Amino acid sequence: GPFITASIIIQLLTIGFDSLKELQKSGEEGRKKMNAYTRYTALALGFIQATGITLGIVKGALVNQGIFFIITVIVTLVAGSMLVMWMGDRITEKGLGNGSSVIIFVGIISGLPRGITAVWGLMFSAGTFSTVGFIKALALVVGLLILVAGVVFIQIAERRIPVQYAKKVVGRRMVGAQNTHIPLKLAMAG
């Protein structure tokens, strides 16, 4: 989480600050510095998020309310997020894709068996087949398929802007007006 948030922050700051924009355009050395800035920002955000989680969300669930224990929990959360950031960098370096995206994808896929089990449990409540549970499960599966189809449709959708070239004289002949189009994606960011 902190690394992705830091990446977004650094990209937005690049738009606002000319020095960061120049650094981004300065090749390999600039890219290394931008990555370092992103990592430092991720570390700072990791401490902020870990402190907020520890003192805000889960303070009542802590076994020990002592300051040493709270600091240990915060440092452990930050170390875990830095470890995941490092793993993402290694995945990217090995050429297996964007490391952060691969880790997020694996996290989503790891919840798939639990989701299938939940749908199965919805259909067979208390060990017997339930018609109402089956209808709910069927509605859930149909809804998910419609959602995936909608995402794919939006992803591949494009608006074709017509472009017409004027006629011109080349030598003794007239080169005709050509009709073509500019394909604009509906969702440019993908």
Side-chain angles (χ1 to χ4, degrees), residues 164-179:
Q164 294 179 350
Y165 293 104
K167 292 182 181 180
K168 63 181 180 178
V169 177
V170 177
R172 290 186 178 187
R173 58 189 172 112
M174 182 79 91
V175 177
Q178 296 175 344
N179 291 332

Side-chain angles (χ1 to χ4, degrees), residues 153-173:
F153 178 75
I154 295 296
Q155 178 63 31
I156 63 173
E158 69 179 18
R159 172 82 173 146
R160 295 182 175 189
I161 309 296
V163 177
Q164 294 179 350
Y165 293 104
K167 292 182 181 180
K168 63 181 180 178
V169 177
V170 177
R172 290 186 178 187
R173 58 189 172 112

Side-chain angles (χ1 to χ4, degrees), residues 89-113:
D89 286 345
R90 297 295 80 80
I91 291 170
T92 303
E93 280 181 11
K94 297 296 181 184
L96 299 173
N98 184 343
S100 301
S101 298
V102 170
I103 290 172
I104 291 170
F105 175 72
V106 168
I108 292 169
I109 292 299
S110 69
L112 197 58

